[in-house]
């Protein structure tokens, strides 16, 4: 098969070693990426990302690769666990960077807003001629008092508008962006079509929430199936997925009182649910009921 592309230079060494091991197994098995997709149940696009270091393969894909290449999964999954920890550390650094960027933007917006009000408060009525009132020193005191009073009223008015005193609407609107139910898609990466509750009930791949944007938040093994909670921080959503599925197996994901289900049908070795909105990965739980009657959930 074609030579592999060089792995990204910024890739963590543990992730690079794990990815190289996956490549060696694929080469030794004489598998093309298309054949690998057919035999493992993971798409060709996903395997291209896994094998080029752009996305960490989920545990289910690793186990499936071991099966089709006749490799013991024990040592391979141990390497995967080390790589997953390294990937999580890298994601945490990325999240902190993005959070700092959002804070900087928010401060800039608030600074602009404050600058606008400052312009208004700076406008003070012209002082009367010295002959028409008290001495100049008295005028300065009066002007300072008036400017201070105007500034106080502006600040109070701003607080009133932002908190919505009187009708409660402002407080509800102010609370909206911090909730996982936020629906604005502004500022999202190209290809991402939803965020928060806007993703609920929709397909993760169709909405651009999978691929490089997804991680495995939780996992469990039930019978021959691997159960996962898949999470996209960018989309603010999670979904359940099973690999090694048999026709009739059912998976569901639950978060914030919302439940979504997916059913495995003949010819499928994996299936996943529609998405539910979450504020963080730990809020979602996935459960599976196998056609054999056995069931289980992620911890």
């Amino acid at each position: 098969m074609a030579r592999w592309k060089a792995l990204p230079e910024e890739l963590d060494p543990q992730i690079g070693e794990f990815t190289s091991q996956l490549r060696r197994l694929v080469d030794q098995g004489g598998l093309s990426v298309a054949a690998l997709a057919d035999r493992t149940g993971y798409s060709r696009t996903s395997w291209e990302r896994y094998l080029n270091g752009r996305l960490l393969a989920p545990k289910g894909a690793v186990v499936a690769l071991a099966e089709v290449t006749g490799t013991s999964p024990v040592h391979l999954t141990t390497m995967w666990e080390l790589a997953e920890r390294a990937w999580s550390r890298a994601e945490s650094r990325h999240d902190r960077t993005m959070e700092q960027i959002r804070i900087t933007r928010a401060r800039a917006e608030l600074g602009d807003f404050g600058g606008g009000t400052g312009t208004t408060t700076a406008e003070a009525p012209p002082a009367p001629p010295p002959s028409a009132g008290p001495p100049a020193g008295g005028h300065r005191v009066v002007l300072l008092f008036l400017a201070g009073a105007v500034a106080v009223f502006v600040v109070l008015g701003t607080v009133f508008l932002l908190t919505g005193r009187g009708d409660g609407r402002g407080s509800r609107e102010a609370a909206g962006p911090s909730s996982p139910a936020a629906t604005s898609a502004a500022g999202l990466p190209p290809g991402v079509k939803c965020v928060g509750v806007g993703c609920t009930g929709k397909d993760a791949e169709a909405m651009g929430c999978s691929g490089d944007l997804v991680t495995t938040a939780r996992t469990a093994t039930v019978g021959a199936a691997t159960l996962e909670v898949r999470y996209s921080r960018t989309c603010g959503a999670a979904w359940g997925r099973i690999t090694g599925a048999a026709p009739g197996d059912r998976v569901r994901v639950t978060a914030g009182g919302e439940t979504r289900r997916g059913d495995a049908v003949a010819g499928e070795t994996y299936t996943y649910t529609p998405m539910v909105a979450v504020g963080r990965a730990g809020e979602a739980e996935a459960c599976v009921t196998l056609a054999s009657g056995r069931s289980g959930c992620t911890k």
Side-chain angles (χ1 to χ4, degrees), residues 26-269:
V26 173
D27 288 340
Q28 291 171 4
L31 297 169
S32 66
V33 177
L36 187 61
D38 290 339
R39 298 180 63 179
T40 62
Y42 288 78
S43 70
R44 178 173 180 169
T45 300
S46 295
W47 275 114
E48 288 174 347
R49 290 170 175 165
Y50 303 156
L51 296 169
N52 284 305
R54 290 187 291 152
L55 183 65
L56 182 66
K59 187 176 181 180
V62 173
V63 173
L65 176 61
E67 291 177 353
V68 300
T69 57
T71 305
S72 172
V74 176
H75 298 303
L76 195 59
T77 53
T78 298
M79 292 184 66
W80 172 83
E81 290 172 357
L82 295 174
E84 186 186 41
R85 292 172 191 169
W87 192 278
S88 297
R89 290 193 298 269
E91 282 192 331
S92 296
R93 290 192 295 269
H94 173 75
D95 291 344
R96 287 194 295 270
T97 300
M98 294 304 296
E99 182 177 1
Q100 188 59 47
I101 291 174
R102 289 194 293 270
I103 291 173
T104 301
R105 288 176 178 173
R107 286 174 175 168
E109 292 295 330
L110 290 174
D112 292 342
F113 180 81
T117 57
T119 301
T120 301
T121 58
E123 295 177 359
S131 61
H139 283 299
R140 286 195 294 272
V141 172
V142 171
L143 290 176
L144 289 173
F145 174 81
L146 290 176
V150 171
V152 169
F153 280 117
V154 169
V155 171
L156 291 176
T158 301
V159 172
F160 183 89
L161 291 174
L162 293 178
T163 59
R165 301 289 186 185
D167 63 1
R169 289 179 300 183
S171 59
R172 289 193 297 272
E173 292 170 358
S178 63
S179 166
T183 57
S184 174
L188 292 176
V192 176
K193 302 175 184 177
C194 69
V195 62
V197 294
C199 294
T200 297
K202 296 180 180 178
D203 184 284
E205 292 188 3
M207 291 294 105
C209 295
S210 58
D212 298 341
L213 304 178
V214 67
T215 59
T216 298
R218 295 180 176 181
T219 185
T221 301
V222 181
T226 299
L227 174 65
E228 300 168 292
V229 171
R230 303 287 281 165
Y231 169 66
S232 171
R233 180 182 177 88
T234 301
C235 292
W239 57 97
R241 184 175 74 174
I242 51 173
T243 56
D249 291 351
R250 305 189 68 186
V251 60
R252 70 177 185 276
V253 64
T254 302
E258 186 79 30
T259 298
R260 297 287 164 173
R261 293 178 171 83
D263 297 334
V265 299
E268 289 185 352
T269 57

Side-chain angles (χ1 to χ4, degrees), residues 261-277:
R261 293 178 171 83
D263 297 334
V265 299
E268 289 185 352
T269 57
Y270 80 104
T271 189
Y272 57 94
T273 70
M275 294 184 285
V276 291

